[in-house]
Amino acid sequence: MSLLLRLITSVALIAGPASAATDNSPEAAPQSASPAPAAPETPAPESSAPATEPGPAAPNGASSEEKIDINKIDLSQFENTLREIVDKEGGEQYRMSMEDCVRRALENNQDILVAEYEPMKSDADIMSAKGEFDPALRSSANYQYSNFGVATGLGTPFAPGASTKGYPSVVSYNTQTNTEFLGKLKWGTQYDVSMGVNKVENTSGKYIELWSGGLTLTITQPLLQGAGLNANLARVRIAKNSRLISNEQLQYTVLSTVAQVAKSYWDLVGAVEQLKVQQQALDNAERLLDINQKRLKIGTGAAIDIVQAKAGVALRQSGLITAHAQVKNAEDILKQLLGMQDGEALAKGSIIPLNRPAVTDLATDEAASIALAIEHRPDIKSAELAIESAKIDQKQASNAMLPNVALTGSASQGSHNHYMSEVFDGVVDPLDKSFSVGVTGTLSLGNRTARGAHQRATLTVRQAEQQWSRSKQIAARDVSLSIRSLETSRTLVASNRNARALQETNLAAEEKRLNLGVSTSYQVLLKQQDLTSAQTQEVGALIQFEKAVIDLRSAQGTLLDDLGIAFEPPATEKPEPYLKSLIPEQWR
């Protein structure tokens, strides 16, 4: 039983049993091809009493006539509610096309603004990874004082600092400074250039300064583990790939947000069109009520027709109130996507959409669309980059399993003298020279740490390849579903358009039959309901078609290009200046 039929039935029960047996009720109305002419009626005197209609004798000794109160249904409450809704909708209006909404979302949407930080964070990771090859300057200074008593032949030392029986103690003052320039090259080579200067004063030298030192170069080159570009540049390469992945993920966020904005825009358009449908339904119901009131006034209508028409108006009023709420809901969703804020709350005012839905001749080719998706979709590109990063990590893990064997070489030259300048002169014209060459090796017994890391890296590669395959399957599924939805909605638009035209014809014919006295108010209400349903379905099919077009372009990964949006990843943000980074934060 439809909502309209339930409401009218309940109204008839409120009005009384007589309303179910009147000659003008839908159940009792004769369906005659040539109705008998009605007898002339004399106008009834005006009275403030409710209109009545004769009915059969009631059971249990009730009165033979029951009154039908045409004022039983009070429409004023709904009218006041509608008036309040319309008053609240006043204020600032934003007339926006879909392109305007997309442009505003690109500037203000919170999801996009949050995702924009990821590529910049990846830039910071790249900089951090390259820092592994930054040279360092290291310096140290050390002062040492020592005082030792001289031992006797029996091995008993004298007290420090004392002179007993001519055996003095040994006092030494030693100052050491060392400055190093060290770092690592991308082949794994470690270098260390150091300049050391020592000054010694002691009792044996009669406290005369003795300077010594020189320049030393030390090179360490890994031969197996840690050798080569693959082992040493892995972190930098992975960080660069992460930057590209972040770009693709940001583009995917932009693509998804634009699709969501476009679909929400069409939802708002659909809600506005449905509001128009409900307003037209209310206008039709009010026109029928007006006709029935005039017929009752001149004596050609029945009170039950007024009650039924009022029930229809009340039903349409509630539908219109619901339609107003749906418009505001759609507006709020779109405002949130566009970042239209007024403080912490959404901005006031109404969005007036300028676009209207229309069916276009959009050719579909599933194979071509899938090829476009594989070429353009950001999630598939991200999966490909993830495979590349996993393989880089796998190569580094393979290298880490090798034995640690390194070749070390060192050379130094300098001088020693009672004057410090002679030490520095000795770097160019050395008095003291030395060099050394050596090999060191370490073999891990079991090597479980490196083997476990390699196993994990290998599994990560396989997982990334599986994820890439899954992404392509999802793309193919999305394309297939969106094409099917597009074709279905295109067919439904044509079907519902014909159904709506048919219902318009049926309603016009039923209203003519009512005017001729061969139909009832109830039958007209049913035809009005059928027309409203057909109009609602037509609007829904049109909106579904527009959303299916958005889904298809989004599934292909071409939505941004189709809307003329050129995606540009955010620029690299400058880090903290080097000199400023050396100052404690509280002193800056």
Side-chain angles (χ1 to χ4, degrees):
M1 181 182 292
S2 68
L3 178 60
L4 176 64
L5 183 57
R6 291 198 301 270
L7 181 57
I8 292 178
T9 302
S10 64
V11 168
L13 292 175
I14 292 173
S19 62
T22 58
D23 293 337
N24 288 312
S25 67
E27 291 80 359
Q31 300 298 323
S32 172
S34 56
E41 298 182 9
T42 57
E46 295 184 1
S47 173
S48 60
T52 62
E53 187 173 301
N60 301 328
S63 171
S64 61
E65 284 194 354
E66 294 278 350
K67 292 182 179 179
I68 298 179
D69 187 358
I70 62 174
N71 296 319
K72 270 287 186 184
I73 299 179
D74 184 10
L75 301 177
S76 60
Q77 181 180 359
F78 289 111
E79 292 172 354
N80 293 335
T81 302
L82 284 171
R83 193 176 298 109
E84 291 175 1
I85 291 174
V86 173
D87 291 342
K88 288 181 180 179
E89 291 177 352
E92 188 174 359
Q93 292 184 341
Y94 305 94
R95 302 178 64 83
M96 303 178 74
S97 65
M98 188 176 72
E99 290 74 16
D100 296 331
C101 292
V102 169
R103 192 179 308 111
R104 182 155 187 164
L106 292 175
E107 296 173 355
N108 302 306
N109 181 265
Q110 292 297 318
D111 292 337
I112 295 177
L113 294 178
V114 170
E116 282 180 346
Y117 285 98
E118 293 302 322
M120 293 187 285
K121 288 166 62 178
S122 296
D123 288 334
D125 291 338
I126 294 173
M127 183 178 183
S128 178
K130 289 181 176 179
E132 182 179 353
F133 305 102
D134 286 347
L137 188 64
R138 183 166 62 194
S139 184
S140 64
N142 184 48
Y143 173 79
Q144 182 181 10
Y145 164 78
S146 60
N147 187 339
F148 298 98
V150 176
T152 66
L154 298 177
T156 303
F158 294 102
S163 179
T164 304
K165 297 183 178 179
Y167 293 97
S169 63
V170 177
V171 178
S172 176
Y173 301 92
N174 190 1
T175 303
Q176 298 176 338
T177 60
N178 190 58
T179 301
E180 297 176 88
F181 181 79
L182 65 161
K184 178 182 177 182
L185 301 179
K186 57 186 178 180
W187 296 278
T189 307
Q190 298 179 25
Y191 58 89
D192 186 341
V193 181
S194 65
M195 180 69 192
V197 177
N198 299 332
K199 184 184 75 168
V200 178
E201 299 173 84
N202 55 35
T203 51
S204 62
K206 299 183 180 180
Y207 297 105
I208 298 175
E209 295 180 348
L210 178 63
W211 297 85
S212 64
L215 185 68
T216 303
L217 172 64
T218 303
I219 300 292
T220 302
Q221 175 60 54
L223 301 179
L224 293 175
Q225 184 186 126
L229 299 178
N230 289 336
N232 294 281
L233 292 181
R235 187 181 169 200
V236 176
R237 291 171 176 173
I238 291 175
K240 288 181 177 180
N241 266 359
S242 296
R243 188 8 157 144
L244 298 177
I245 292 174
S246 297
N247 290 346
E248 295 299 335
Q249 290 174 341
L250 174 59
Q251 185 173 0
Y252 185 79
T253 300
V254 172
L255 176 66
S256 301
T257 301
V258 169
Q260 193 175 1
V261 168
K263 292 165 69 174
S264 297
Y265 182 88
W266 286 121
D267 284 337
L268 176 58
V269 172
V272 171
E273 294 298 319
Q274 296 290 10
L275 179 62
K276 294 178 181 178
V277 169
Q278 294 299 325
Q279 183 62 60
Q280 182 182 349
L282 177 59
D283 293 341
N284 289 337
E286 288 177 339
R287 187 178 71 252
L288 178 62
L289 176 59
D290 183 62
I291 291 172
N292 286 331
Q293 287 174 336
K294 290 178 180 178
R295 292 177 67 223
L296 180 64
K297 187 174 182 180
I298 63 175
T300 60
I304 187 62
D305 293 334
I306 301 293
V307 175
Q308 291 175 341
K310 280 191 172 184
V313 170
L315 181 63
R316 272 61 169 188
Q317 285 175 331
S318 62
L320 186 59
I321 292 172
T322 301
H324 274 286
Q326 290 173 343
V327 170
K328 300 308 293 182
N329 291 342
E331 283 183 355
D332 287 346
I333 293 174
L334 187 56
K335 286 177 183 178
Q336 187 269 328
L337 291 172
L338 302 185
M340 297 176 65
Q341 298 287 129
D342 183 8
E344 296 298 326
L346 294 174
K348 303 296 182 183
S350 302
I351 298 177
I352 308 299
L354 302 180
N355 298 69
R356 287 294 172 266
V359 176
T360 56
D361 245 352
L362 182 64
T364 56
D365 184 339
E366 185 170 342
S369 294
I370 292 175
L372 283 173
I374 294 175
E375 180 182 358
H376 291 96
R377 280 182 61 135
D379 54 332
I380 294 180
K381 293 181 180 179
S382 296
E384 293 172 350
L385 291 168
I387 293 175
E388 184 178 341
S389 294
K391 288 182 177 179
I392 293 172
D393 186 56
Q394 184 186 37
K395 289 181 180 179
Q396 184 187 35
S398 296
N399 178 268
M401 290 192 297
L402 299 175
N404 187 357
V405 180
L407 178 65
T408 303
S410 178
S412 66
Q413 56 187 32
S415 182
H416 61 276
N417 199 285
H418 292 293
Y419 301 99
M420 185 175 64
S421 59
E422 295 294 329
V423 175
F424 294 101
D425 292 341
V427 173
V428 180
D429 186 12
L431 178 64
D432 303 328
K433 295 181 181 179
S434 69
F435 72 89
S436 64
V437 177
V439 177
T440 61
T442 302
L443 177 63
S444 175
L445 302 180
N447 208 18
R448 287 184 292 182
T449 300
R451 288 163 56 206
H454 179 264
Q455 178 66 12
R456 179 181 177 83
T458 302
L459 294 173
T460 301
V461 171
R462 288 158 54 185
Q463 182 185 35
E465 291 172 344
Q466 194 65 43
Q467 179 63 35
W468 177 63
S469 176
R470 177 177 177 271
S471 297
K472 292 195 295 182
Q473 289 180 354
I474 291 175
R477 180 206 64 189
D478 291 345
V479 167
S480 178
L481 292 177
S482 57
I483 288 178
R484 188 177 301 114
S485 176
L486 188 147
E487 297 295 345
T488 301
S489 57
R490 196 204 311 265
T491 303
L492 288 176
V493 168
S495 173
N496 290 322
R497 186 169 290 165
N498 292 333
R500 185 257 306 160
L502 175 62
Q503 295 302 332
E504 288 176 343
T505 302
N506 287 342
L507 177 59
E510 199 65 33
E511 287 179 346
K512 289 181 180 179
R513 286 167 56 83
L514 178 65
N515 292 334
L516 294 174
V518 295
S519 183
T520 64
S521 218
Y522 175 71
Q523 294 298 327
V524 174
L525 286 170
L526 289 181
K527 291 298 185 287
Q528 288 180 352
Q529 182 71 14
D530 291 342
L531 174 60
T532 300
S533 178
Q535 291 172 326
T536 299
Q537 292 176 3
E538 182 184 8
V539 171
L542 281 168
I543 299 302
Q544 185 57 39
F545 176 82
E546 293 288 2
K547 293 169 69 174
V549 172
I550 299 297
D551 284 336
L552 176 58
R553 291 174 175 172
S554 179
Q556 293 175 165
T558 59
L559 179 61
L560 300 183
D561 293 335
D562 294 337
L563 294 177
I565 300 172
F567 173 76
E568 294 182 4
T572 302
E573 191 171 288
K574 291 184 178 180
E576 197 80 22
Y578 171 69
L579 293 179
K580 185 178 179 181
S581 68
L582 303 178
I583 302 173
E585 187 173 355
Q586 61 270 25
W587 294 351
R588 296 177 189 175

